[in-house]
Amino acid sequence: MIKIRKYNEADARDLWAIFYRTIRNVNSRDYTQAQVKAWAPDDVSPEAWQRKMNANSPFVAEINGETVGYADLQEDGLIDHFFCHHKHQGQGIGRHLMEHVLRVGELQGITRFYSEVSITARPFYEKLGFKVAKEQTVEIRGQKLRNFVMERFS
């Protein structure tokens, strides 16, 4: 059973592992090795990551106490981070997390949800009713990556 709970500071290390391993193992299908290394580098400062997670304050998904995914929702409807553990893909975790994010957002009065979505995640977002607002190229640590601004209105 998937449990969604609020983030606490002790989660940051597990969330980094999910972020890093998902990009390196899943997003590597659609991006070059150089691109995934720039996106999820080996030398990220634990303190900088902690600050990012504290600021984002994501929801954390667990199965039997194991952290299997996380997603955040910002006040303006931005979903900045949305990642599921690379070994737990296709088990409904992402759908469960997204339903939670949308429900919380609607309770807060958010009517437009949007995210910068990877090539890999685009089909997932489309299944959940998001549409491509624009395709873009972003630069991360000297690498150019193609992604999509996707949005959904409630």
Side-chain angles (χ1 to χ4, degrees):
M1 182 164 155
I2 302 165
K3 176 186 168 194
I4 309 289
R5 62 170 175 79
K6 290 184 175 185
Y7 165 83
N8 64 62
E9 288 193 4
D11 292 319
R13 183 185 210 162
D14 287 343
L15 302 189
W16 169 255
I18 289 171
F19 175 85
Y20 180 89
R21 291 185 184 128
T22 300
I23 292 168
R24 293 291 184 102
N25 291 290
V26 177
N27 296 95
S28 59
R29 293 189 309 239
D30 298 303
Y31 295 93
T32 68
Q33 197 64 20
Q35 288 171 320
V36 297
K37 284 182 177 178
W39 187 2
D42 291 320
D43 60 353
V44 166
S45 149
E47 295 79 19
W49 179 260
Q50 182 83 56
R51 284 191 302 276
K52 175 73 172 170
M53 290 299 98
N54 290 353
N56 279 15
S57 191
F59 302 104
V60 177
E62 292 181 334
I63 296 176
N64 298 324
E66 177 188 0
T67 301
V68 294
Y70 72 99
D72 71 280
L73 177 62
Q74 302 308 305
E75 290 178 4
D76 66 350
L78 171 65
I79 301 166
D80 187 29
H81 276 230
F82 195 105
F83 288 90
C84 291
H85 193 293
H86 71 285
K87 291 184 178 177
H88 293 278
Q89 302 265 321
Q91 297 177 4
I93 297 161
R95 176 176 292 279
H96 202 76
L97 257 175
M98 185 64 80
E99 288 170 354
H100 182 80
V101 165
L102 296 172
R103 194 167 40 253
V104 167
E106 287 168 2
L107 289 171
Q108 294 173 354
I110 295 172
T111 57
R112 177 184 177 253
F113 298 86
Y114 70 101
S115 188
E116 293 189 22
V117 176
S118 69
I119 295 166
T120 316
R122 179 180 170 178
F124 167 78
Y125 274 78
E126 287 176 332
K127 278 188 221 168
L128 295 173
F130 284 78
K131 306 273 187 242
V132 174
K134 73 175 181 174
E135 183 174 333
Q136 63 185 10
T137 301
V138 296
E139 187 169 328
I140 301 173
R141 297 177 186 87
Q143 290 292 314
K144 293 186 185 319
L145 288 80
R146 188 170 133 236
N147 72 13
F148 307 91
V149 175
M150 297 189 73
E151 60 188 7
R152 173 181 161 155
F153 295 89
S154 58

